[in-house]
Amino acid sequence: MAKAYVPVNRDQPMLMPVDKREWLADDHPVRLLIFLVERVLDTSAIEAGWARLGGRGRAAYDPVMLTTLLLWAGLDAGEQSCEKIVARCRRDVAYQYVCGEQVPDEDTVRRFRLHLFDRVAALEIEVLRLASLAGLGDFSLAAVDGTKMLAAASKKANRTEPTLTRLAEQLAAEPGPPGLAGSSEPEPPAAGKPARVAAALGQVRAERLAGEAADAARVAAYRARRAAGGPPGSAPRSIRLAEAEAQLAALIARQEDKLAAWQAQRDAAFAAGRGGIRNPRPKVHDHYKVIKKRERVEQLRAEPAQAPPSRRRGDGEPAPVANLTDPDSGLMPTTRGFVQGYNCQAVATWDRLLVAGSCGRQTGDVAQAVPMLAAAEAAVELFTATRQAAGFCCTCRHDQPEPDRHTDPAEHARWRAGIDSCELHHGLRIDWMLLDAGYLSEDNLTATGPPRLIALGKTRDLPAGDEPPTGPPDPEATAHETNAHHLRTRDGRLAYRLRGHIAESPYGHLKHNKGLNRFHTRGLPTVTAEWTFTRTCHNLGITLHTIQTNRTNPRHLAVLAETARQTTLSPAI
């Protein structure tokens, strides 16, 4: 007998709720998001200047609604494609609830996103204020880390300076577009391919001049060390071949002098009737040192020939390139090879907030440490000012000097416990800023700012059998020695082991869970704004989860935010 199944009645009529509010659960996060954007966050900066109409003769879409839509798209699935956002407005109930059955077109969403990016710094500050009022912001352990984000450009669009120069000449020779006769509208600024080619050409020229200046400084330092008689070290790449050829010529000359002396000694022996000398004939061109040095010279001569002339500089270094699609992006080294992208930095707190960040085209992280440390201190000041303006009380001794944990551990424990229990300053004291070995330098160790631990290499643990030190570092120790001492202590080891969890977990969430590994805009200012918006959505998601998990009353947050807004200004981060 056949098994009976539940019948499939696709033509069964049903009644849907007529109110969209009944389609969503009471605890759906989009409800809280709408309340926070409309009642708590200050969106006056976003509303100012938004006069784009939805169509000819039609009123503009509400900027607060569009802001909520973009924030929900970033929170829900990390969606940043305007086309996909509009598609979700047609089929997703949460998006329809945000829009109120109004489906904006793709051009409107795209224009408003650029409008929002111009004012995203104010939105980021508002979200950080909200996170502070919700109890977030634990700066006791914070970390600075970078990640490579793909640009909206291909590596194949990179060009060298000769190619860009030739392309600029070709574009300059072409006739420009005809103007509009009788038009009173001002001419638009230079845009399109000529502007991108000019920007790329200026960029590679600047990089070439900077590289030549740096190489000249290295050559001067090398020759100064040689003149002083000390160890000169390895010769700079630009003069490496010339130095090797000079050393080969000097070596051959010394061997020829030895041969001439041997020949004279042999002739004198024959003239005296001794029948020659016992010393063997010195070698010149077949001497092992000459052979080895000649092989090195041939190797250096062959290196520039491995790349076409357009891909190398005069000193043998790879020629700088610029991307025609996005001139501000650069080639970034990753574990999967070089990619066209940006180097994005962020400061992460213990509770996974990304309180500050930046974007750039530098492949290294050394130059980003000091700005990020300053941004972390500015974020602490923002959280403190927000809580103080909202009426939070201070019950600790934060303004007193920190007791020495080595000489008086009990007093230091009481002082620290007072800060941890303080309503105002809880979590707003940076004990350690954690940075990996990519930030290690003398300037980053000695720069003003919060205390920091910078890794000395890839390994972070002590060798087996070493006991961690318990006392303070030597007062006469250098910055590197002091940093190494703190890393060897028990507290330093335990703190730095948490760096990966603090700094890399947000990146893993954004890239793996949300799929945000590529920018959708071009140009460093716009890309920086997009990275700021990405961090803002990340912080807002953590704040929403905290409010819902801790059963915080959103209306109480609205009162606190209004009080803080009336008594303090928004400092820039």
Side-chain angles (χ1 to χ4, degrees):
M1 183 177 67
K3 182 177 179 61
Y5 295 100
V6 177
V8 180
N9 298 325
R10 296 187 175 90
D11 55 350
Q12 174 67 35
M14 60 181 299
L15 296 178
M16 298 292 292
V18 296
D19 193 343
K20 270 291 173 61
R21 290 174 294 183
E22 300 180 8
W23 291 32
L24 296 173
D26 293 339
D27 58 348
H28 198 283
V30 74
R31 294 178 178 269
L32 179 58
L33 174 64
I34 293 175
F35 177 84
L36 294 178
V37 175
E38 294 182 351
R39 300 285 302 276
V40 179
L41 300 182
D42 183 8
T43 59
S44 58
I46 302 175
E47 298 178 30
W50 175 247
R52 300 284 186 178
L53 301 180
R56 184 178 296 275
R58 202 167 73 184
Y61 287 99
D62 185 5
V64 178
M65 181 271 291
L66 293 175
T67 302
T68 310
L69 175 63
L70 293 180
L71 289 174
W72 177 245
L75 289 172
D76 180 41
E79 192 59 69
Q80 296 188 11
S81 172
C82 298
E83 180 181 359
K84 294 182 179 180
I85 292 176
V86 173
R88 288 178 179 269
C89 291
R90 293 191 176 97
R91 68 172 186 268
D92 194 298
V93 175
Y95 284 79
Q96 294 176 358
Y97 182 69
V98 171
C99 298
E101 296 294 340
Q102 299 175 1
V103 180
D105 56 277
E106 298 177 20
D107 291 338
T108 300
V109 176
R110 186 175 296 107
R111 289 195 301 265
F112 182 79
R113 184 175 65 175
L114 295 177
H115 171 81
L116 178 63
F117 283 175
D118 292 338
R119 297 156 177 82
V120 71
L123 180 62
E124 181 188 26
I125 291 177
E126 287 298 315
V127 172
L128 291 178
R129 286 179 176 278
L130 176 63
S132 176
L133 297 178
L136 293 170
D138 189 351
F139 290 82
S140 57
L141 284 180
V144 179
D145 199 14
T147 185
K148 305 300 189 296
M149 296 283 287
L150 299 178
S154 173
K155 288 193 301 182
K156 298 181 179 179
N158 286 319
R159 299 292 185 270
T160 57
E161 183 177 357
T163 305
L164 291 172
T165 303
R166 185 170 58 254
L167 185 56
E169 293 174 353
Q170 293 175 359
L171 293 175
E174 295 178 358
L180 299 178
S183 175
S184 60
E185 295 293 332
E187 296 183 0
K193 190 173 183 179
R196 296 198 305 270
V197 171
L201 183 57
Q203 181 176 303
V204 295
R205 284 177 177 173
E207 290 186 7
R208 175 178 56 82
L209 294 176
E212 292 175 354
D215 183 73
R218 289 193 296 267
V219 170
Y222 171 79
R223 290 175 176 169
R225 290 194 299 269
R226 288 197 61 180
S234 179
R237 192 182 186 93
S238 59
I239 62 172
R240 198 169 295 170
L241 177 58
E243 288 290 317
E245 291 176 344
Q247 293 172 6
L248 175 61
L251 184 58
I252 293 176
R254 287 196 300 268
Q255 292 302 117
E256 289 178 347
D257 293 341
K258 291 180 182 180
L259 178 60
W262 179 87
Q263 188 69 33
Q265 186 179 4
R266 180 174 177 272
D267 294 343
F270 275 111
R274 293 196 300 269
I277 59 176
R278 295 182 179 181
N279 296 337
R281 176 187 176 90
K283 299 179 181 180
V284 180
H285 294 283
D286 53 350
H287 191 270
Y288 77 97
K289 290 185 178 180
V290 176
I291 295 175
K292 186 176 181 180
K293 183 61 67 175
R294 186 182 294 111
E295 291 177 352
R296 176 58 176 166
V297 170
E298 293 175 355
Q299 178 185 1
L300 292 174
R301 287 174 178 173
E303 283 182 357
Q306 296 176 359
S310 60
R311 294 298 180 87
R312 64 177 187 272
R313 295 193 320 216
D315 56 1
E317 293 285 351
V321 295
N323 196 277
L324 285 178
T325 307
D326 188 358
D328 291 341
S329 62
L331 290 173
M332 299 293 160
T334 65
T335 56
R336 299 181 179 179
F338 282 85
V339 299
Q340 193 71 30
Y342 289 89
N343 185 4
C344 300
Q345 303 285 324
V347 178
T349 62
W350 172 248
D351 44 9
R352 296 179 295 115
L353 288 179
L354 300 179
V355 295
S358 65
C359 284
R361 67 189 312 269
Q362 299 86 0
T363 57
D365 297 333
V366 176
Q368 309 298 326
V370 175
M372 289 297 98
L373 293 176
E377 291 185 321
V380 172
E381 295 177 1
L382 172 66
F383 276 60
T384 305
T386 301
R387 294 180 184 178
Q388 189 173 9
F392 287 64
C393 299
C394 176
T395 58
C396 66
R397 299 178 296 167
H398 73 281
D399 53 345
Q400 298 182 5
E402 180 180 0
D404 189 273
R405 66 178 66 192
H406 302 288
T407 59
D408 196 353
E411 180 62 22
H412 181 273
R414 288 191 294 269
W415 179 83
R416 185 68 207 186
I419 293 181
D420 293 339
S421 60
C422 179
E423 182 184 28
L424 175 61
H425 294 96
H426 169 69
L428 299 184
R429 178 180 176 83
I430 301 178
D431 292 335
W432 292 112
M433 289 290 296
L434 309 175
L435 302 92
D436 60 22
Y439 298 90
L440 182 62
S441 71
E442 184 72 19
D443 294 338
N444 292 339
L445 288 173
T446 57
T448 59
R452 69 216 66 168
L453 292 175
I454 306 181
L456 304 177
K458 295 295 183 182
T459 58
R460 61 185 179 185
D461 295 331
L462 289 173
D466 287 358
E467 289 294 332
T470 56
D474 187 357
E476 302 297 330
T478 63
H480 285 272
E481 293 172 347
T482 302
N483 178 65
H485 173 87
H486 289 312
L487 286 171
R488 290 195 303 268
T489 61
R490 179 178 178 274
D491 294 341
R493 293 174 63 179
L494 294 177
Y496 191 80
R497 286 176 180 176
L498 299 173
R499 189 206 66 84
H501 168 73
I502 298 173
E504 298 176 8
S505 294
Y507 288 149
H509 174 69
L510 292 175
K511 287 190 168 183
H512 181 74
N513 297 340
K514 297 293 186 180
L516 296 174
N517 59 356
R518 178 185 296 273
F519 288 115
H520 288 71
T521 56
R522 300 187 180 106
L524 183 59
T526 312
V527 164
T528 303
E530 185 176 350
W531 176 238
T532 304
F533 183 75
T534 301
R535 300 195 313 270
T536 300
C537 292
H538 173 80
N539 297 335
L540 187 57
I542 296 176
T543 305
L544 291 179
H545 178 75
T546 302
I547 294 175
Q548 291 185 321
T549 304
N550 298 342
R551 301 294 190 270
T552 305
N553 189 350
R555 300 186 182 276
H556 177 61
L557 291 178
V559 175
L560 293 178
E562 182 63 27
T563 303
R565 192 178 299 119
Q566 293 176 358
T567 56
T568 185
L569 299 177
S570 299
I573 294 182

